[in-house]
Amino acid sequence: MVEIRITGQRGEDPSAVEETDEKALPEGKKVISITQDDITEDRYHRLRLINWWNQKKLADSVVIIAGAGALGNEAIKNLALLGVGRLIICDFDGIETSNLTRSVLFRQHDVGRLKAEVARDRAVEMNPDTKAVAVHGDLRFALGYGLVRRAGIVLGCLDSLEARYYLNHHAMKTGAVYIDAGLDHLNGDVMTFKPTEGPCYECQMKSGEKKELKRRQSCLKLSREDIALGKVPTSPTISAIIAGMQSQIAVRHLHGRPIPTGRRLGLYGMTDLTFDIKLSEDPECMTHMYTDPLMEREIVELPRKASETTLDQILGDMKEKLGEPVVWSLDDDRDIITGLNCRDCEKGRELLSLAGVLAEKDALCDECGEVMVPTQISEFDGSEGLGDKTLKELGIPPLHILYGRNTETGDDAYFELSGDVDLYFGD
Ligand SMILES: [Zn+2]
Ligand SMILES: [Zn+2]
């Protein structure tokens, strides 16, 4: 006689499932213990049959996908199918006809719509258990540190060196695991970085790449456009393979299982050769040297929103915590541009922008056509005449974390715009 006992739930602790003492059973009797999860044939049944799988862990997870192009489409599709609870999808671009060969989430009639928004809609359509948030904007400026630290994991599905460089900084700053994927023709690779362990993205950059990065940002902190951006030759086959690897590593990480930290894994698509390269730390890596990790710091969670909080208000909060005289320092964050001046004509223009957002072509003098010089501020004490400007107007993204310091005592702390949390984590 065989008795089937249904015991417990698979998940957190498989040992919690009651074991049957075979020897204590009467002769000829056999007991098979299965869990409730094994017989409930819901959407995730086949996934749960993987013995270490924990669907609840995935449902409770938040993953940021930076870039909703070829790789991002595949990663978003995978994570939605897997039942990851929340996807934050960041992209600055609109859908073009030429994207359609590599974008499983996009249709012909989507051309002209925003990639982040269409990807969000399709993810939720594929799996209503998944919540998705579209962040339309340049990830370098649109992702607040508070958002990245709360997610704890970012997938780089990008085609630009500069975007990767900044995403790496965000990850190092906030402690998020950064899984980067890249494509080139039929080749692709995945690199996995943990901020507390081994090399970061910058560590493995070649000197030519660092030069290229410098070239993009002129010494005036105005960005230069790259016409070749996003025009990497590639195919949907390799993007599916590489984003598949990337998503699988992410899922393992979300389960607390080992991941290939500090390694570059990939495939040469013309020869089917795979590679696994151990990356090393660069002792001269700027990101490693100059990033002050938030994980080790006190973060004051303020019920404030970037769109409503003025400069005076945030300085007031900092004063309350740290005493006077206090400054909001942009230290290893981006400087803020408050105006432009022409060296030749002595003409000026007022504007507010984060350094790097403003392009050279938008900073030309009306009179002589020369690139004007930006006035940059890296520390605010309230004397700038900008006290009534909101943080949003100053270029600060929602849920960002700002650094305050008492210039006399040296006491410092970080302040999070936690009032924005519902923008990303609300229902
Ligand atoms: Zn590094
Ligand atoms: Zn001029």
Side-chain angles (χ1 to χ4, degrees), residues 342-347 364-370 372:
C342 181
R343 267 180 288 216
D344 298 333
C345 314
E346 291 178 18
K347 288 234 170 185
L364 304 179
C365 173
D366 293 336
E367 298 279 318
C368 68
E370 283 297 308
M372 299 200 279

Side-chain angles (χ1 to χ4, degrees), residues 65-115:
I65 299 102
L71 286 162
N73 261 256
E74 288 290 331
I76 292 160
K77 177 259 292 174
N78 290 335
L79 299 177
L81 290 176
L82 289 163
V84 169
R86 194 174 287 267
L87 306 177
I88 313 283
I89 303 165
C90 181
D91 197 288
F92 67 94
D93 232 349
I95 299 171
E96 292 173 38
T97 307
S98 63
N99 301 138
L100 297 174
T101 52
R102 298 175 313 288
S103 309
V104 68
L105 303 175
F106 304 157
R107 307 283 173 265
Q108 185 73 50
H109 63 259
D110 295 323
V111 170
R113 290 185 62 198
L114 296 174
K115 286 183 180 175

Side-chain angles (χ1 to χ4, degrees), residues 38-73:
D38 291 330
I39 51 169
T40 310
E41 285 244 10
D42 67 358
R43 175 186 272 266
Y44 306 106
H45 182 246
R46 298 300 191 281
L47 295 174
R48 276 200 312 267
L49 293 179
I50 297 171
N51 61 16
W52 48 266
W53 203 264
N54 187 333
Q55 197 59 48
K56 187 171 182 306
K57 265 190 182 154
L58 295 184
D60 291 342
S61 297
V62 182
V63 178
I64 298 176
I65 299 102
L71 286 162
N73 261 256

